[in-house]
């Protein structure tokens, strides 16, 4: 930083201190939201697990069971529900999930239902057919919206608008690790338990209960995926802001060293001039 005055260095130090305050505040906000998102993930899992066990029980306990939600189709049109964030400054959270989905749909006929502003912007810029932009703000999507969305998707599936439904989200592994993944919603592939089916009587019949449960099950899966993505976003943002804060501290320390060196050089220069004049 030769030739830079001490005044300019002090200005840069103040600028970096302001940046550090902003990143530190964002890190604390993300940590607070992360705790709330983790609680949502834990509270959503029991509902999903009970519905899934009921679906498996119906399939296991009913001979020659068939449903339009189970039968695979010959068509190749896939509807993707893609969950991303509304804002950036979250490391690779948005880019990882969007690039993964884009690579997956490159060689197939696909429709996209984006959740989150970043997802809407990404697929609109690439000319992808969007089912709707109603859920453009992921932060405002509630549990009720997930169940309404699930019923709407099931209706389109039964009417043959698409042959498969998948959800793309970021799985929350830990605070330091988040992995983007896709999960097939329909046609459903229940995993037989292999044990004795429970002695349960379904009214009016198993098929009717099964078809009624599927939209509720999908709504639970979508809400669970949304909670996982929210927790992953806040964890990624917290990590990114923590790294930015540390970088700001390192730059402030480096600038302070250069400021002291420049001030010492100026003092030495003044002493040299005084001695030379004397």
């Amino acid at each position: 930083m030769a030739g830079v005055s001490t005044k300019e260095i002090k200005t840069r130090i103040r600028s970096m201190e302001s940046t550090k305050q902003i990143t530190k505040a964002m890190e604390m906000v993300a940590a607070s939201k992360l705790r709330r998102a983790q609680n949502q993930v834990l509270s959503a899992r029991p509902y999903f697990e009970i519905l899934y066990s009921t679906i498996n029980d119906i399939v296991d306990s009913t001979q020659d069971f068939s449903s339009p939600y189970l039968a695979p189709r010959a068509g190749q049109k896939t509807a993707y529900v893609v969950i991303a964030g509304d804002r950036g400054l979250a490391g690779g959270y948005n880019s990882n999930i969007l690039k993964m989905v884009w690579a997956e749909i490159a060689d197939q006929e696909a429709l996209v239902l984006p959740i989150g502003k970043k997802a809407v912007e990404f697929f609109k810029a690439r000319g992808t057919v969007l089912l709707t932009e109603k859920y453009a703000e992921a932060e405002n999507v509630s549990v009720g919206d997930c169940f309404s969305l699930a019923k709407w998707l099931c209706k389109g599936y039964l009417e043959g608008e698409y042959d498969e439904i998948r959800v793309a989200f970021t799985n929350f592994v830990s605070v330091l690790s988040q992995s983007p993944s896709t999960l097939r919603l329909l046609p459903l592939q229940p995993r037989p338990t292999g044990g004795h089916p429970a002695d349960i009587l379904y009214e009016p019949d198993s098929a009717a209960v099964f078809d009624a449960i599927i939209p509720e099950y999908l709504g639970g899966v979508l809400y669970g995926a949304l909670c996982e993505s929210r927790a992953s976003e806040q964890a990624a943002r917290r990590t990114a802001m923590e790294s930015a804060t540390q970088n700001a501290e390192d730059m402030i320390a480096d600038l302070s060293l250069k400021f002291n060196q420049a001030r010492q050089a100026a003092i030495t220069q003044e002493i040299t001039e005084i001695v030379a004049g004397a």
Side-chain angles (χ1 to χ4, degrees), residues 79-95:
Y80 279 84
V81 180
V82 183
I83 304 175
D86 296 325
R87 293 178 295 275
L89 298 178
Y93 167 74
N94 289 308
S95 61

PDB file of all heavy atoms in Angstrom, residues 79-95:
ATOM      1  N   ALA A  79     -43.155 -32.792 -13.471  1.00  0.00           N
ATOM      2  CA  ALA A  79     -43.373 -31.516 -12.783  1.00  0.00           C
ATOM      3  C   ALA A  79     -42.429 -31.445 -11.586  1.00  0.00           C
ATOM      4  O   ALA A  79     -42.427 -32.342 -10.736  1.00  0.00           O
ATOM      5  CB  ALA A  79     -44.819 -31.388 -12.332  1.00  0.00           C
ATOM      6  N   TYR A  80     -41.630 -30.400 -11.541  1.00  0.00           N
ATOM      7  CA  TYR A  80     -40.671 -30.200 -10.456  1.00  0.00           C
ATOM      8  C   TYR A  80     -41.137 -29.070  -9.545  1.00  0.00           C
ATOM      9  O   TYR A  80     -41.454 -27.978 -10.013  1.00  0.00           O
ATOM     10  CB  TYR A  80     -39.292 -29.830 -11.002  1.00  0.00           C
ATOM     11  CG  TYR A  80     -38.468 -30.998 -11.469  1.00  0.00           C
ATOM     12  CD1 TYR A  80     -38.629 -31.524 -12.744  1.00  0.00           C
ATOM     13  CD2 TYR A  80     -37.523 -31.589 -10.633  1.00  0.00           C
ATOM     14  CE1 TYR A  80     -37.873 -32.600 -13.182  1.00  0.00           C
ATOM     15  CE2 TYR A  80     -36.759 -32.664 -11.069  1.00  0.00           C
ATOM     16  CZ  TYR A  80     -36.940 -33.165 -12.332  1.00  0.00           C
ATOM     17  OH  TYR A  80     -36.188 -34.220 -12.770  1.00  0.00           O
ATOM     18  N   VAL A  81     -41.191 -29.347  -8.260  1.00  0.00           N
ATOM     19  CA  VAL A  81     -41.384 -28.302  -7.259  1.00  0.00           C
ATOM     20  C   VAL A  81     -39.993 -27.958  -6.727  1.00  0.00           C
ATOM     21  O   VAL A  81     -39.362 -28.775  -6.049  1.00  0.00           O
ATOM     22  CB  VAL A  81     -42.299 -28.769  -6.115  1.00  0.00           C
ATOM     23  CG1 VAL A  81     -42.479 -27.647  -5.090  1.00  0.00           C
ATOM     24  CG2 VAL A  81     -43.650 -29.217  -6.664  1.00  0.00           C
ATOM     25  N   VAL A  82     -39.506 -26.766  -7.058  1.00  0.00           N
ATOM     26  CA  VAL A  82     -38.130 -26.378  -6.726  1.00  0.00           C
ATOM     27  C   VAL A  82     -38.174 -25.320  -5.622  1.00  0.00           C
ATOM     28  O   VAL A  82     -38.760 -24.254  -5.791  1.00  0.00           O
ATOM     29  CB  VAL A  82     -37.394 -25.821  -7.955  1.00  0.00           C
ATOM     30  CG1 VAL A  82     -35.948 -25.490  -7.595  1.00  0.00           C
ATOM     31  CG2 VAL A  82     -37.437 -26.819  -9.106  1.00  0.00           C
ATOM     32  N   ILE A  83     -37.545 -25.636  -4.500  1.00  0.00           N
ATOM     33  CA  ILE A  83     -37.538 -24.736  -3.344  1.00  0.00           C
ATOM     34  C   ILE A  83     -36.174 -24.074  -3.238  1.00  0.00           C
ATOM     35  O   ILE A  83     -35.151 -24.751  -3.077  1.00  0.00           O
ATOM     36  CB  ILE A  83     -37.861 -25.500  -2.047  1.00  0.00           C
ATOM     37  CG1 ILE A  83     -39.204 -26.219  -2.181  1.00  0.00           C
ATOM     38  CG2 ILE A  83     -37.883 -24.548  -0.857  1.00  0.00           C
ATOM     39  CD1 ILE A  83     -39.541 -27.095  -0.978  1.00  0.00           C
ATOM     40  N   ALA A  84     -36.151 -22.752  -3.336  1.00  0.00           N
ATOM     41  CA  ALA A  84     -34.922 -21.970  -3.171  1.00  0.00           C
ATOM     42  C   ALA A  84     -35.234 -20.804  -2.235  1.00  0.00           C
ATOM     43  O   ALA A  84     -36.294 -20.755  -1.606  1.00  0.00           O
ATOM     44  CB  ALA A  84     -34.395 -21.494  -4.525  1.00  0.00           C
ATOM     45  N   GLY A  85     -34.315 -19.848  -2.143  1.00  0.00           N
ATOM     46  CA  GLY A  85     -34.488 -18.730  -1.222  1.00  0.00           C
ATOM     47  C   GLY A  85     -34.997 -17.483  -1.913  1.00  0.00           C
ATOM     48  O   GLY A  85     -35.118 -17.417  -3.137  1.00  0.00           O
ATOM     49  N   ASP A  86     -35.287 -16.482  -1.103  1.00  0.00           N
ATOM     50  CA  ASP A  86     -35.735 -15.184  -1.612  1.00  0.00           C
ATOM     51  C   ASP A  86     -34.577 -14.200  -1.746  1.00  0.00           C
ATOM     52  O   ASP A  86     -34.676 -13.235  -2.494  1.00  0.00           O
ATOM     53  CB  ASP A  86     -36.794 -14.576  -0.676  1.00  0.00           C
ATOM     54  CG  ASP A  86     -38.060 -15.418  -0.610  1.00  0.00           C
ATOM     55  OD1 ASP A  86     -38.423 -16.013  -1.646  1.00  0.00           O
ATOM     56  OD2 ASP A  86     -38.686 -15.481   0.459  1.00  0.00           O
ATOM     57  N   ARG A  87     -33.503 -14.435  -1.016  1.00  0.00           N
ATOM     58  CA  ARG A  87     -32.362 -13.511  -1.023  1.00  0.00           C
ATOM     59  C   ARG A  87     -31.060 -14.292  -1.171  1.00  0.00           C
ATOM     60  O   ARG A  87     -31.032 -15.506  -1.006  1.00  0.00           O
ATOM     61  CB  ARG A  87     -32.322 -12.712   0.288  1.00  0.00           C
ATOM     62  CG  ARG A  87     -33.493 -11.748   0.457  1.00  0.00           C
ATOM     63  CD  ARG A  87     -33.428 -11.032   1.790  1.00  0.00           C
ATOM     64  NE  ARG A  87     -33.590 -11.963   2.894  1.00  0.00           N
ATOM     65  CZ  ARG A  87     -34.765 -12.356   3.350  1.00  0.00           C
ATOM     66  NH1 ARG A  87     -35.873 -11.915   2.811  1.00  0.00           N
ATOM     67  NH2 ARG A  87     -34.830 -13.187   4.380  1.00  0.00           N
ATOM     68  N   GLY A  88     -30.006 -13.534  -1.474  1.00  0.00           N
ATOM     69  CA  GLY A  88     -28.690 -14.124  -1.595  1.00  0.00           C
ATOM     70  C   GLY A  88     -27.939 -14.061  -0.275  1.00  0.00           C
ATOM     71  O   GLY A  88     -28.527 -14.162   0.797  1.00  0.00           O
ATOM     72  N   LEU A  89     -26.620 -13.893  -0.363  1.00  0.00           N
ATOM     73  CA  LEU A  89     -25.744 -13.839   0.810  1.00  0.00           C
ATOM     74  C   LEU A  89     -25.888 -15.094   1.666  1.00  0.00           C
ATOM     75  O   LEU A  89     -25.901 -15.039   2.897  1.00  0.00           O
ATOM     76  CB  LEU A  89     -26.033 -12.589   1.652  1.00  0.00           C
ATOM     77  CG  LEU A  89     -25.803 -11.241   0.970  1.00  0.00           C
ATOM     78  CD1 LEU A  89     -26.184 -10.101   1.900  1.00  0.00           C
ATOM     79  CD2 LEU A  89     -24.355 -11.103   0.531  1.00  0.00           C
ATOM     80  N   ALA A  90     -26.034 -16.238   0.999  1.00  0.00           N
ATOM     81  CA  ALA A  90     -26.165 -17.517   1.707  1.00  0.00           C
ATOM     82  C   ALA A  90     -25.201 -18.549   1.140  1.00  0.00           C
ATOM     83  O   ALA A  90     -25.535 -19.735   1.060  1.00  0.00           O
ATOM     84  CB  ALA A  90     -27.602 -18.014   1.624  1.00  0.00           C
ATOM     85  N   GLY A  91     -24.028 -18.103   0.738  1.00  0.00           N
ATOM     86  CA  GLY A  91     -23.053 -19.023   0.177  1.00  0.00           C
ATOM     87  C   GLY A  91     -23.561 -19.657  -1.107  1.00  0.00           C
ATOM     88  O   GLY A  91     -24.106 -18.987  -1.982  1.00  0.00           O
ATOM     89  N   GLY A  92     -23.424 -20.967  -1.221  1.00  0.00           N
ATOM     90  CA  GLY A  92     -23.867 -21.676  -2.424  1.00  0.00           C
ATOM     91  C   GLY A  92     -25.243 -22.294  -2.301  1.00  0.00           C
ATOM     92  O   GLY A  92     -25.585 -23.164  -3.102  1.00  0.00           O
ATOM     93  N   TYR A  93     -26.036 -21.844  -1.331  1.00  0.00           N
ATOM     94  CA  TYR A  93     -27.342 -22.467  -1.095  1.00  0.00           C
ATOM     95  C   TYR A  93     -28.224 -22.431  -2.337  1.00  0.00           C
ATOM     96  O   TYR A  93     -28.738 -23.468  -2.789  1.00  0.00           O
ATOM     97  CB  TYR A  93     -28.042 -21.764   0.071  1.00  0.00           C
ATOM     98  CG  TYR A  93     -29.503 -22.106   0.204  1.00  0.00           C
ATOM     99  CD1 TYR A  93     -29.912 -23.342   0.685  1.00  0.00           C
ATOM    100  CD2 TYR A  93     -30.487 -21.191  -0.173  1.00  0.00           C
ATOM    101  CE1 TYR A  93     -31.258 -23.669   0.791  1.00  0.00           C
ATOM    102  CE2 TYR A  93     -31.827 -21.500  -0.063  1.00  0.00           C
ATOM    103  CZ  TYR A  93     -32.205 -22.737   0.421  1.00  0.00           C
ATOM    104  OH  TYR A  93     -33.542 -23.044   0.505  1.00  0.00           O
ATOM    105  N   ASN A  94     -28.426 -21.255  -2.909  1.00  0.00           N
ATOM    106  CA  ASN A  94     -29.316 -21.134  -4.068  1.00  0.00           C
ATOM    107  C   ASN A  94     -28.704 -21.747  -5.322  1.00  0.00           C
ATOM    108  O   ASN A  94     -29.377 -22.495  -6.045  1.00  0.00           O
ATOM    109  CB  ASN A  94     -29.652 -19.656  -4.318  1.00  0.00           C
ATOM    110  CG  ASN A  94     -30.564 -19.077  -3.253  1.00  0.00           C
ATOM    111  OD1 ASN A  94     -31.613 -19.630  -2.949  1.00  0.00           O
ATOM    112  ND2 ASN A  94     -30.157 -17.957  -2.674  1.00  0.00           N
ATOM    113  N   SER A  95     -27.449 -21.451  -5.588  1.00  0.00           N
ATOM    114  CA  SER A  95     -26.830 -21.925  -6.829  1.00  0.00           C
ATOM    115  C   SER A  95     -26.726 -23.444  -6.866  1.00  0.00           C
ATOM    116  O   SER A  95     -26.906 -24.058  -7.928  1.00  0.00           O
ATOM    117  CB  SER A  95     -25.445 -21.294  -6.999  1.00  0.00           C
ATOM    118  OG  SER A  95     -24.595 -21.660  -5.925  1.00  0.00           O
TER     119      SER A  95
END
